[in-house]
Amino acid sequence: MSNAKGCTINQQKILTAARQLFAARSIETVSMKDIATAAGIGPGTLYRHYAHKSTLCLALVTDRVATFIKTNQVYLTTTSVGAAARFDHVIGEYLAIREHNMALLMNVEAGEPGRRQFYQSELYQQLCDLLTQLVRDLKPTLSKPACEFQADMLIAMLKGTSYAFQRQWRGRSQSELLAQLHALMVTE
């Protein structure tokens, strides 16, 4: 077996083991050693692939978020509904992604001490570009930097801890959050 193929197999073992352990227990209670043991690999192999739990969590959600971004980029270019309806559609789907992956995304957003943060990742930039387009459609007189700022702030408002606080402590449903974001962002 080639080294590249062995690397891919180990990554799949790691991701499968992490997904299963995180489903059975909370992310916080699963150690990197637990993941290595469940994957049947040594800790060194695990750390070569994922130096920190947040990078492992990012790997688990990257495909889902990337699919969300691509799907909604196509949606924005092919739909004929108004800007407010496009906003509601895309943000509604983003809230669903956040809900389904809340714990993973909170871990990703916490980042690694001394390492590149989620906000500096390519995935974040793609998400920001998508939301910048939404803001630009809603507010065509705003400059590109102003639209980017509002997109960044929209993402920040929905960051894991903020989202979890609204859902769990304030008891707001996804539809209530969407209605509040609509009221905040859409000027009709």
Side-chain angles (χ1 to χ4, degrees), residues 6-22 25 30-47 49-50 56 60:
C7 189
T8 302
I9 290 170
N10 282 338
Q11 282 181 305
Q12 282 308 114
K13 286 181 179 179
I14 293 165
L15 294 174
T16 299
R19 198 173 284 115
Q20 290 170 347
L21 288 170
F22 293 162
R25 304 176 4 211
V30 175
S31 71
M32 293 294 270
K33 184 176 189 264
D34 294 336
I35 296 167
T37 300
I41 60 170
T45 301
L46 172 61
Y47 283 102
H49 291 286
Y50 304 102
L56 177 56
L60 289 169

Side-chain angles (χ1 to χ4, degrees), residues 4-146:
K5 189 173 182 179
C7 189
T8 302
I9 290 170
N10 282 338
Q11 282 181 305
Q12 282 308 114
K13 286 181 179 179
I14 293 165
L15 294 174
T16 299
R19 198 173 284 115
Q20 290 170 347
L21 288 170
F22 293 162
R25 304 176 4 211
S26 69
I27 292 173
E28 296 79 25
T29 64
V30 175
S31 71
M32 293 294 270
K33 184 176 189 264
D34 294 336
I35 296 167
T37 300
I41 60 170
T45 301
L46 172 61
Y47 283 102
R48 271 192 298 282
H49 291 286
Y50 304 102
H52 194 271
K53 201 187 299 185
S54 67
T55 54
L56 177 56
C57 290
L58 180 59
L60 289 169
V61 297
T62 294
D63 288 344
R64 293 174 190 156
V65 175
T67 299
F68 158 78
I69 291 167
K70 287 177 189 161
T71 301
N72 283 287
Q73 286 169 333
V74 170
Y75 170 78
L76 289 179
T77 60
T78 59
T79 189
S80 60
V81 300
R86 288 193 304 271
F87 177 85
D88 289 348
H89 173 83
V90 173
I91 297 303
E93 287 199 2
Y94 184 61
L95 291 173
I97 290 280
R98 290 234 52 114
E99 183 73 23
H100 185 72
N101 299 285
M102 190 182 316
L104 288 171
L105 288 167
M106 286 177 67
N107 200 287
V108 168
E109 291 162 354
E112 302 172 46
R115 303 277 294 178
R116 191 171 98 158
Q117 296 294 311
F118 173 66
Y119 293 104
Q120 298 166 318
S121 71
E122 182 180 337
L123 188 64
Y124 176 84
Q125 189 55 54
Q126 292 170 354
L127 177 60
C128 186
D129 290 345
L130 175 69
L131 298 187
T132 297
Q133 181 61 48
L134 276 180
V135 173
R136 192 177 303 140
D137 291 349
L138 286 170
K139 304 172 182 184
T141 60
L142 286 182
S143 67
K144 182 177 180 186

Side-chain angles (χ1 to χ4, degrees), residues 169-180:
W169 289 95
R170 296 279 192 221
R172 292 191 174 95
S173 68
Q174 286 181 358
S175 59
E176 289 172 318
L177 290 175
L178 180 57
Q180 290 299 317

